[in-house]
Amino acid sequence: MPSPVPNFAFNAAGKPQIGCDDRSLFSFGNLIRQTEQLILDLFGRGLLSGTTHTCLGQELCQMAVVRALQDDDDVVLSNHRNHGHFLTYSGDFLGLVAEIMGREAGVCGGYGGSQHMALRHFHSNGVQAGMTAIATGLALQRKQRGSASVVAVMVGDGTLGEGLLYESMNLAAIWKLPVLFVVENNGIAQTTVTAATVGGGNIAARGAAFGLKTWQIDDADSGFCAQVQGIVNAMREGIGPGMLVVETGRLGPHSKGDDLRPAQELERIQQRDPLAAMGRRLAESDRLAIVAANQDFLRGVEAAALASPVSTFAVVPSHALRPATAPVPALAQPAQAANVRLAINAALRTLLTHRPEVLVLGEDLHEPYGGAFKVTAGLSQEFAGRVISTPISEAGITGAGIGLALAGQRPVVEIMFADFMTLCMDQLYNHAVKFPGMFPDAAVPLLVRTPCGGRRGYGPTHSQSPENLLVSVPGLTVVYGSQRHNVGQLLVDAVTAWPNPTVFLEHKLLYGEVQAPGPFTALPAQAEDLASSLFPTLSSGPVDADIVLLSYGGMLPVVERVARQLREAEELSVRIVAPALLSPLPRQALRGALLGAAKVVVIEESHHQYGVGAEVLALLAESGFGGQVLRIGMPPVPIAAARSLEAAQLPDEKSILARILGMF
């Protein structure tokens, strides 16, 4: 429980009990305002860590919805201007001030700073609209288990230019979710007035266009908080998603000292200040007593924050991944299958049958279509309500998957083509990997499946292999199996035994390949290689081979044919190494397999500059490798649509063989 707050008690969930009367609202609102002023003072004294955004003048606006959310299961998702939301949710003034100062007493130990905080069902992040899609996932999980809770996601008027907000409102409307989008409209973003950024000018109409119940209230109106309480109560009764637009005013700058508004505008906002008006309605002696008690309290908070040690790591983390859990033997998948597509389909059916927390989301998954590559064929009818066809909203459904994962589900999100993963990158790069990397209590066991690769003439935006982009995201696991791997088992284990955000790549041409291990066996898993026991590296051929070919995913059938020609026509001994895990790279296993070789060739379909192969060869160089190396991949140009042009660009047997023979 946080330190006692003057004039306030806490409920069993640890939330301050703030009434709708003038005294209660002024007391807590003034405490928030004085805290913001303290933060600005600390900044002026050089005692803050990083940047901060205050909510001076918006205290009632920020309090109103959060104070009404008293259910243990209610969720508050906030943004870069989150202080009032957090304090109303938690009452943890020391946790906030110490966090911004970068002290151990901070609610997140200084890791998150002003913009990024987590406590119970409160999360904030500094990316505009970034939390809106996550709200839909959290709300979907609550709706499916019959909770009466409400998910409130706070945005500012500046966020109305972000596309993800509209994807999220659309998802919330389609799924009839208890999400309340709260727009705190102070008329200006950083320095640009809202009138110059919102086409049409009517913010509430944007919510109504998606079928959301909409309200528009001024926080200076009498009875403002009582009206908001009524809105939250209506949301709790199941009216579906809503949008509440609160007209408010910002007394201070966006961030520290960038307030460029004219003096007359600032004077107008000062005159309408609802908190000051509320204070004037109190007896002067009562108001002064409240202000004095709050000042005394915050002096204690400041002293405690200054007394707290500067944030330090006991051990500087080397990665942000959670350890694997034991695979479930009952979910074992056969090593051989008629083809890879059927193996993945069977794995999804196994997961949906035996793990009720698994949901599958993606575009066009329903019958009779069953997904663009028929991987989900038959599942939407068999598992109605758990295999969910979505709008074309790659970022939105990825965010929804994050929300589901945060709420304890095991979501499997399908992105129709890997080329579209770029639309998901903010959700992966700024949200999925950040939460578990920063907050010990937040886990994001999200799996994103996506078909990739060329050789089908699909052209520049439907044929790419983006693993070189994905492996560069810290904390993101990237798995890319081949027809020699037990792909169904890789998928089952990724969902059930690996509690980290994961992208599961599937080459289009492998869907029709027979799944069979053939001459390949798994290299021994090394304890230092995270997840290597779940996603093994395979090899075939003699340890003392003349040359080692390393490849993965959809390139492996091509590389096997190259190896056959090298053996038969050139009388060379060849070893093939085929990892399924691209990130985190199984370094120890690869060192053991490659370090003693005379020649190592890394062959990939992706642009090989700055890619997986480059990382493998860097690993060898750092380990003292003295042999000869070669990288083969696609040049850094768009993939052509014409089959003849595409074939000339992508590595094939003839071009690979010619490059390899040049080494001898």
Side-chain angles (χ1 to χ4, degrees):
M1 179 65 66
S3 56
V5 177
N7 304 315
F8 289 95
F10 290 78
N11 69 7
K15 300 178 181 179
Q17 301 299 282
I18 306 168
C20 266
D21 59 289
D22 281 353
R23 190 182 193 284
S24 185
L25 291 170
F26 177 78
S27 294
F28 208 87
N30 175 263
L31 194 50
I32 294 173
R33 179 167 295 185
Q34 289 197 43
T35 302
E36 297 284 42
Q37 290 167 338
L38 169 62
I39 289 168
L40 291 173
D41 176 60
L42 292 169
F43 167 69
R45 290 153 55 192
L47 295 173
L48 284 195
S49 176
T51 188
T52 187
H53 303 79
T54 64
C55 63
L56 286 169
Q58 298 181 208
E59 295 82 7
L60 290 182
C61 170
Q62 293 213 318
M63 289 168 57
V65 172
V66 181
R67 63 157 293 282
L69 296 170
Q70 289 297 316
D71 190 287
D72 290 0
D73 211 20
D74 288 336
V75 176
V76 178
L77 300 180
S78 188
N79 49 52
H80 63 293
R81 184 170 282 112
N82 57 13
H83 301 165
H85 305 139
F86 175 77
L87 293 174
T88 308
Y89 179 86
S90 69
D92 190 358
F93 287 80
L94 174 59
L96 172 70
V97 173
E99 182 69 23
I100 297 173
M101 293 176 66
R103 304 296 178 117
E104 288 183 2
V107 64
C108 299
Y111 210 133
S114 175
Q115 301 181 48
H116 318 94
M117 286 184 280
L119 179 69
R120 300 191 301 265
H121 300 315
F122 179 98
H123 278 90
S124 63
N125 190 286
V127 179
Q128 291 288 345
M131 303 295 284
T132 58
I134 294 170
T136 66
L138 289 164
L140 179 60
Q141 187 265 355
R142 282 158 168 75
K143 179 181 178 181
Q144 290 193 335
R145 62 179 171 83
S147 171
S149 58
V150 174
V151 177
V153 57
M154 315 298 183
V155 300
D157 48 285
T159 310
L160 294 163
E162 292 285 354
L164 183 59
L165 173 63
Y166 303 103
E167 289 189 28
S168 304
M169 289 195 294
N170 192 44
L171 287 174
I174 289 169
W175 294 338
K176 298 179 173 58
L177 300 177
V179 179
L180 181 61
F181 297 88
V182 182
V183 182
E184 297 175 347
N185 179 26
N186 60 30
I188 189 169
Q190 185 157 348
T191 61
T192 305
V193 295
T194 306
T197 60
V198 178
N202 191 329
I203 296 173
R206 297 193 174 200
F210 288 92
L212 274 62
K213 178 69 174 175
T214 61
W215 302 269
Q216 191 160 356
I217 312 176
D218 194 314
D219 66 359
D221 288 351
S222 61
F224 165 68
C225 284
Q227 294 177 64
V228 173
Q229 181 72 65
I231 291 167
V232 170
N233 293 345
M235 290 290 302
R236 209 178 292 287
E237 291 170 4
I239 63 171
M243 172 181 277
L244 170 60
V245 181
V246 181
E247 304 297 332
T248 186
R250 195 182 77 214
L251 285 172
H254 167 80
S255 174
K256 299 171 184 173
D258 57 358
D259 202 334
L260 306 178
R261 292 173 292 178
Q264 60 269 30
E265 173 66 7
L266 294 175
E267 176 63 23
R268 182 192 68 79
I269 296 170
Q270 189 83 39
Q271 290 300 317
R272 75 170 291 283
D273 180 6
L275 187 64
M278 194 169 284
R280 289 192 294 269
R281 291 198 293 269
L282 299 176
E284 181 69 2
S285 58
D286 196 14
R287 184 186 66 80
L288 292 175
I290 290 169
V291 171
N294 288 344
Q295 288 174 339
D296 287 344
F297 170 72
L298 288 176
R299 276 193 287 268
V301 167
E302 179 184 358
L306 289 169
S308 177
V310 172
S311 300
T312 58
F313 288 115
V315 177
V316 178
S318 58
H319 63 82
L321 298 171
R322 307 290 173 87
T325 58
V328 183
L331 301 185
Q333 302 295 294
Q336 296 199 208
N339 59 51
V340 170
R341 181 186 68 80
L342 291 175
I344 297 173
N345 180 271
L348 290 170
R349 178 172 280 103
T350 297
L351 288 165
L352 289 161
T353 299
H354 296 284
R355 297 299 290 261
E357 69 273 25
V358 171
L359 286 88
V360 180
L361 293 82
E363 299 160 13
D364 295 293
L365 303 187
H366 54 272
E367 295 303 308
Y369 194 62
F373 295 93
K374 312 307 176 190
V375 175
T376 59
L379 298 180
S380 67
Q381 289 180 337
E382 189 174 346
F383 302 97
R386 294 176 59 209
V387 177
I388 304 171
S389 278
T390 70
I392 300 175
S393 301
E394 287 82 5
I397 60 176
T398 303
I402 296 170
L404 287 163
L406 283 169
Q409 302 290 110
R410 291 279 178 155
V412 177
V413 172
E414 178 179 304
I415 301 299
M416 190 179 287
F417 285 86
D419 312 68
F420 310 155
M421 289 296 298
T422 53
L423 298 169
C424 313
M425 281 299 281
D426 168 63
Q427 288 297 298
L428 294 174
Y429 186 74
N430 281 318
H431 296 84
V433 299
K434 294 289 193 297
F435 292 144
M438 294 170 62
F439 311 131
D441 294 333
V444 184
L446 166 73
L447 184 124
V448 180
R449 292 182 39 251
T450 187
C452 63
R455 306 185 198 277
R456 293 189 63 156
Y458 286 177
T461 61
H462 287 68
S463 305
Q464 297 169 96
S465 296
E467 64 267 19
N468 54 343
L469 301 177
L470 297 167
V471 296
S472 66
V473 178
L476 184 66
T477 300
V478 181
V479 178
Y480 194 175
S482 70
Q483 84 285 6
R484 298 302 187 183
H485 287 88
N486 185 338
V487 178
Q489 194 66 57
L490 295 179
L491 179 62
V492 166
D493 289 345
V495 173
T496 61
W498 187 241
N500 299 289
T502 300
V503 174
F504 195 90
L505 296 169
E506 304 163 4
H507 198 286
K508 304 178 190 76
L509 292 192
L510 289 185
Y511 285 140
E513 290 277 339
V514 174
Q515 178 181 290
F520 285 80
T521 58
L523 296 176
Q526 304 295 318
E528 299 94 329
D529 291 338
L530 297 171
S532 62
S533 61
L534 299 176
F535 314 117
T537 298
L538 305 181
S539 70
S540 71
V543 173
D544 58 349
D546 296 316
I547 189 168
V548 178
L549 310 181
L550 185 146
S551 193
Y552 55 86
M555 279 302 302
L556 193 58
V558 179
V559 169
E560 287 190 63
R561 293 193 290 270
V562 169
R564 188 178 305 118
Q565 292 188 55
L566 289 172
R567 293 183 187 115
E568 294 173 358
E570 305 299 331
E571 298 183 345
L572 293 170
S573 60
V574 183
R575 188 182 191 195
I576 300 176
V577 175
L581 183 64
L582 304 185
S583 180
L585 200 66
R587 295 176 179 274
Q588 295 301 324
L590 293 178
R591 279 194 188 98
L594 303 176
L595 205 51
K599 293 179 173 61
V600 173
V601 182
V602 181
I603 307 160
E604 50 198 326
E605 186 174 317
S606 178
H607 303 297
H608 64 284
Q609 298 177 10
Y610 312 103
V612 175
E615 186 65 22
V616 170
L617 297 185
L619 166 67
L620 291 181
E622 292 168 351
S623 302
F625 180 71
Q628 192 175 359
V629 299
L630 176 65
R631 284 186 297 169
I632 299 175
M634 184 178 162
V637 297
I639 300 178
R643 290 292 188 100
S644 57
L645 299 177
E646 181 190 51
Q649 291 176 311
L650 293 173
D652 61 7
E653 296 163 52
K654 182 179 179 180
S655 64
I656 294 170
L657 192 62
R659 294 284 305 280
I660 290 174
L661 292 177
M663 300 176 74
F664 289 90

